[in-house]
Amino acid sequence: MNTIVLDHETDFDGWRHAARALVLDGIKPEDVTWTIKGEEELFGPTTTSSPPRPSNGTFNVPAKFVELAQIAILHRDRKRFALLYRLLWRLRHHHDLLEVATDPDVISVSAMAKAVRRDEHKMHAFVRFREIGREREAHYVAWFEPAHHIVELAAPFFARRFADMPWSILTPERCAHWDGFAISFTPGVSKAEAPASDRLEETWRRYYATIFNPARLKVKAMNTEMPKKYWRNLPEASLIKPLIAGAARASEAMIGKAPTEPHKAQQRLEQPMKRKTASELETLREEAASCRACPLWKDATQTVFGEGPPHATIMLVGEQPGDKEDLAGKPFVGPAGQMLDRALVEAGIDRNKVYVTNAVKHFKFVPRGKIRLHQKPSTPEIKACRPWYERERAAIKPVLVVAMGATAAQGVLGKITPINKNRGHLIDLDEQTKALVTVHPSYLLRLPDQDAKAREYARFVEDLKLAAAVLRKSARAA
Ligand code: URA
């Protein structure tokens, strides 16, 4: 038996050198044990304990394997080193093995890589910094407990995102620090060393309470997106239970007031179809969460996917998530969203009945101190994201798509479409679907002149009234 002792949990280079030498020496996977320095005794006496000698031979593996292995090796499962070695061993004689989606080793390694990516994503979304020191001396410290060995993987995101503030992320295994110039790592610490609260806590709670919409609450989806194990480190966590409890009461009141129920037979006809589209959208949402089609994912907290009934008659398309949406993971919950909500009410449209999404699903920004300044997405970014919009539209089959602003118009119509020349009338997208182009609510927010703002807002509401008429007509036809 050969025992390979790696330097540490994420020693990919050590694994790679050893694995390469073992393969070239013809050592079968079942004749190798993998362990980590300091833990050898856990595995009991071994017959050999040797770093394999460098071998001169060579062999090629697909680049895809190296990418997959670099991520899967960060998984917490002890068996990962052996599993990766077995896959490598088999790849020598079966170069296309990774394409065999039903192969048990491929399935296991892919699932590990997926779990690691998900953990990384959760870390990006749920790290909350607490301020220690003030002003020039300020340092921001967060406590996080990753499920896998992802601190090194996740840290560059925080360096880009919070480039101007010195921070430390403390975890039980490894800590990451940023001084404004470089990232460094130190051994893990206990939770007692992390600050428990700070003066920003209340701001977080207020913000969370503001964006919480009881009418759109989906507890199951929320628990999937924000599993309970993360709650203990989130300042807003103390609000979640009372908000959910309040939402249930509000929903019951709404149900009590519901005017009519669809006819039972019609309900039966609609159910399987609805379930199909809903699950289609959920699958799309999951796929989009790991979209890497353009570089915007790198600095954004998360993909902000569309939201709304799976069979909405109207689909509203904005430009891209803003700062608030990026943090909340929901479209149009910030200032532009509030402006949109107001205009929808005035136009006679219930937001809960429309599907709301964006042409670009990651927040594009430049950091300026603690602020993230919105940047307009480029044409390649709009194009890279377009398949998500197309697939959302194909699943929902709306009667009308409302494109708000130039980016949305470009995403929806597939070409640059000037707003003023095209607004105010319906445009054919295909036989079943029309498009309506209008301004973006942020444009209204930015107008400095109050008269112009009022005038433009009224025009925006007029455009939405056209959409309301389509909604009414389609309800009559149904
Ligand atoms: N602006 C957008 O276009 N979309 C959002 O979700 C928020 C602001």
Side-chain angles (χ1 to χ4, degrees), residues 2 4 16-27 49-57:
N2 293 263
I4 306 300
R16 184 161 62 176
H17 286 126
R20 184 172 166 278
L22 289 165
V23 168
L24 289 172
D25 284 352
I27 313 278
S49 180
S50 55
R53 61 201 154 68
S55 194
N56 293 329

Side-chain angles (χ1 to χ4, degrees), residues 145-158:
E145 292 162 56
H148 302 289
H149 307 290
I150 55 158
V151 174
E152 273 108 340
L153 179 72
F157 163 86
F158 295 99

Side-chain angles (χ1 to χ4, degrees), residues 318-322 325 331-332 336 358 440:
E319 181 197 61
Q320 60 159 345
E325 289 79 12
F332 282 102
N358 283 299
H440 192 283

Side-chain angles (χ1 to χ4, degrees), residues 304 317-323 325 330-334 336-337 356-360 374 404 440-442:
V304 178
V317 185
E319 181 197 61
Q320 60 159 345
D323 180 76
E325 289 79 12
K330 289 163 169 293
F332 282 102
V333 292
V356 181
T357 193
N358 283 299
V360 172
H374 160 278
M404 300 183 292
H440 192 283
S442 301

Side-chain angles (χ1 to χ4, degrees), residues 83-226:
L83 180 57
L84 284 169
Y85 182 58
R86 192 164 66 228
L87 195 53
L88 178 71
W89 175 264
R90 295 179 60 211
L91 271 167
R92 269 193 87 186
H93 301 292
H94 187 344
H95 201 263
D96 296 331
L97 181 58
L98 292 183
E99 309 311 322
V100 184
T102 51
D103 182 89
D105 288 343
V106 174
I107 292 175
S108 301
V109 171
S110 306
M112 280 182 179
K114 196 170 169 197
V116 168
R117 283 292 185 204
R118 182 172 160 80
D119 198 30
E120 179 197 15
H121 167 71
K122 294 293 174 206
M123 181 162 171
H124 291 167
F126 296 135
V127 157
R128 298 283 184 272
F129 288 102
R130 268 116 191 179
E131 190 181 17
I132 55 170
R134 295 291 291 272
E135 286 149 22
R136 282 172 182 282
E137 298 302 316
H139 191 96
Y140 296 82
V141 180
W143 170 254
F144 192 75
E145 292 162 56
H148 302 289
H149 307 290
I150 55 158
V151 174
E152 273 108 340
L153 179 72
F157 163 86
F158 295 99
R160 289 191 300 272
R161 163 105 170 255
F162 302 107
D164 292 353
M165 62 186 230
W167 52 254
S168 294
I169 301 175
L170 312 181
T171 87
E173 223 170 61
R174 203 112 175 89
C175 300
H177 312 272
W178 170 251
D179 59 6
F181 300 98
I183 305 176
S184 57
F185 297 96
T186 53
V189 294
S190 75
K191 187 172 183 184
E193 299 192 38
S197 66
D198 76 348
R199 68 194 173 87
L200 300 177
E201 217 85 326
E202 197 40 44
T203 315
W204 258 111
R205 271 194 280 269
R206 267 204 306 272
Y207 162 61
Y208 189 78
T210 318
I211 62 163
F212 184 87
N213 182 342
R216 277 187 267 141
L217 175 68
K218 291 195 186 87
V219 178
K220 208 166 142 219
M222 186 171 152
N223 279 328
T224 316
E225 281 306 304
M226 196 200 269

